[in-house]
């Protein structure tokens, strides 16, 4: 009668059996259960990227504005300058929105030949004629929808959509349809502090350059200064206890002897305001009224910048998305 295997031998044989099972389980021939995923294949995420619907709506609005713009016949040099500005920035807006959407797998909008054709120097391009006032009113009518969409956006695209809405509000204003701006309701609390950090030195700087200039140059600074000081006072109230004590002074660059040096300082200080607003855009939450207030400040800063010689920006206050 053969001797019974030792305990050590049984354990050794058991270990070899487990190793064989493990190897067969790693082979490509193993049988998978119906619910097991294919090796190396990740399940697709069925949810769309954030804000896709809002980006599509914004893209379609810009495309519509470009179509209208192609049929505009501006009257006078002032309207011509504003139309030329929109011909520069709206294609950039649509291109950037298309790029963001393509990364989300969204097909580009069908090309509209009229929208891609700049109006000739003397009149409209081919297509139905459009009055400048009609374009301005179309921009104005879309603003409530744009504000509501910004309020629904995620932090990923909030600043960009805020900036886009601000440019469209600015365009409506520049083309003759002033947006109705209610009293500012935001940013409030600590969210107002970064914006105060830009408006306060801008107000002091404009006071300095106004004091060192005269005639029309001084009147230009003073006209901006009155609005800037009013917004700064309102922001201080909205900040409440979070508002820091204003510093005793600011270290402004010197010299400021020439008109160009003074304009450069004023322009730089004013252009710092919109980025400060966009830095707190995500704190507006789902309030369209808070969004409207933020957009208003960006529009005001853009208006001051234009008076001081700053170019039109496709996304005021931010680098291109």
């Amino acid at each position: 009668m053969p001797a019974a295997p030792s305990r050590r031998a049984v354990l050794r044989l058991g270990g070899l059996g487990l190793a064989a099972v493990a190897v067969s389980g790693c082979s490509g021939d193993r049988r998978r259960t119906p619910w097991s995923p294919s090796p190396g294949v990740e399940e697709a995420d069925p949810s769309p990227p954030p804000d896709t619907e809002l980006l599509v709506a914004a893209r379609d609005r810009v495309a519509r504005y470009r179509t209208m713009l192609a049929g505009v016949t501006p009257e006078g040099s002032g309207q011509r300058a504003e139309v030329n500005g929109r011909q520069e920035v709206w294609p950039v807006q649509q291109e950037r929105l298309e790029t963001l959407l393509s990364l989300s797998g969204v097909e580009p909008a069908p090309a509209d030949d009229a929208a891609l054709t700049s109006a000739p120097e003397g009149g409209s391009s081919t297509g139905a004629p459009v009055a400048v006032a009609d374009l301005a009113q179309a921009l104005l009518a879309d603003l409530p929808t744009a504000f509501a969409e910004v309020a629904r956006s995620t932090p990923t695209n909030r600043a960009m959509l805020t900036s886009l809405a601000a440019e469209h509000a600015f365009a409506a204003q520049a083309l003759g349809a002033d947006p109705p701006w209610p009293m500012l309701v935001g940013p409030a609390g600590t969210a107002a502090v970064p914006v105060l950090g830009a408006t306060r030195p801008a107000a002091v700087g404009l006071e300095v350059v106004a004091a060192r200039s005269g005639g029309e140059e001084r009147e230009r600074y003073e006209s901006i200064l009155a609005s800037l000081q009013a917004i700064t006072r309102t922001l201080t109230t909205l900040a409440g206890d979070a508002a820091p004590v204003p510093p005793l002074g600011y270290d402004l660059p010197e010299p400021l002897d020439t008109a160009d040096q003074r304009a450069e300082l004023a322009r730089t200080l004013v252009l710092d305001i919109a980025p400060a607003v966009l830095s707190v855009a995500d704190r507006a939450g789902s309030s369209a009224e808070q969004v409207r207030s933020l957009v208003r400040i960006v529009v005001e800063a853009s208006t001051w910048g234009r008076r001081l010689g700053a170019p039109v920006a496709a996304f005021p206050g931010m680098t291109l998305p």
Side-chain angles (χ1 to χ4, degrees):
M1 181 176 179
S6 67
R7 180 180 178 83
R8 179 175 299 176
V10 171
L11 292 174
R12 183 166 59 248
L13 290 173
L16 291 173
L18 290 173
V21 171
V23 170
S24 66
C26 293
S27 70
D29 298 330
R30 72 180 177 91
R31 297 182 64 184
R32 291 182 285 108
T33 58
W35 57 83
S36 61
S38 300
V41 177
E42 297 181 358
E43 295 184 6
D45 184 0
S47 61
D51 306 324
T52 298
E53 176 190 351
L54 307 181
L55 295 175
V56 168
R59 186 268 317 268
D60 291 347
R61 278 196 298 273
V62 176
R64 177 160 50 87
Y65 299 154
R66 292 186 65 198
T67 300
M68 294 183 69
L69 185 69
V72 164
T73 302
E75 299 178 2
S77 58
Q79 285 191 357
R80 166 54 60 185
E82 296 302 336
V83 167
N84 288 344
R86 307 288 88 70
Q87 287 172 348
E88 293 177 5
V89 302
W90 285 349
V92 175
Q93 291 174 356
Q94 186 172 1
E95 174 192 346
R96 297 296 166 152
L97 291 168
E98 293 283 16
T99 299
L100 290 174
L101 287 168
S102 67
L103 296 175
S104 303
V106 178
E107 292 293 326
D112 186 333
D113 292 338
L116 301 178
T117 304
S118 298
E121 190 67 28
S124 67
S125 64
T126 58
V130 178
V132 170
D134 292 337
L135 176 56
Q137 288 298 324
L139 288 158
L140 191 63
D142 285 341
L143 289 180
T145 299
F147 298 154
E149 289 174 355
V150 173
R152 290 165 47 204
S153 65
T154 67
T156 302
N157 297 298
R158 176 66 67 97
M160 186 269 291
L161 290 173
T162 302
S163 178
L164 187 68
E167 196 285 320
H168 294 164
F170 175 76
Q173 176 179 286
L175 293 171
D178 291 337
W181 297 122
M183 180 84 65
L184 290 178
V185 296
T190 57
V193 174
V195 187
L196 277 173
T199 62
R200 281 174 170 173
V204 172
L206 283 171
E207 287 177 345
V208 171
V209 295
R212 299 192 184 187
S213 59
E216 293 183 359
E217 181 190 359
R218 180 168 185 166
E219 291 176 0
R220 181 169 64 252
Y221 295 137
E222 288 180 341
S223 67
I224 296 171
L225 184 58
S227 301
L228 176 55
Q229 288 173 331
I231 284 182
T232 302
R233 286 192 297 270
T234 302
L235 288 171
T236 303
T237 301
L238 290 171
D241 294 339
V245 177
L248 297 177
Y250 294 93
D251 186 16
L252 299 177
E254 293 285 354
L256 296 172
D257 299 330
T258 68
D260 288 342
Q261 291 169 340
R262 293 188 289 272
E264 177 63 24
L265 173 60
R267 188 164 49 244
T268 300
L269 291 171
V270 163
L271 292 180
D272 284 341
I273 296 172
V277 174
L278 297 181
S279 72
V280 298
D282 59 339
R283 303 197 205 180
S286 58
S287 169
E289 290 307 309
Q290 286 273 335
V291 170
R292 182 191 295 269
S293 289
L294 298 183
V295 169
R296 175 188 171 182
I297 300 174
V298 176
V299 172
E300 295 271 20
S302 299
T303 302
W304 303 331
R306 282 294 299 280
R307 290 185 195 172
L308 296 169
V312 177
F315 295 91
M318 69 180 300
T319 55
L320 293 177

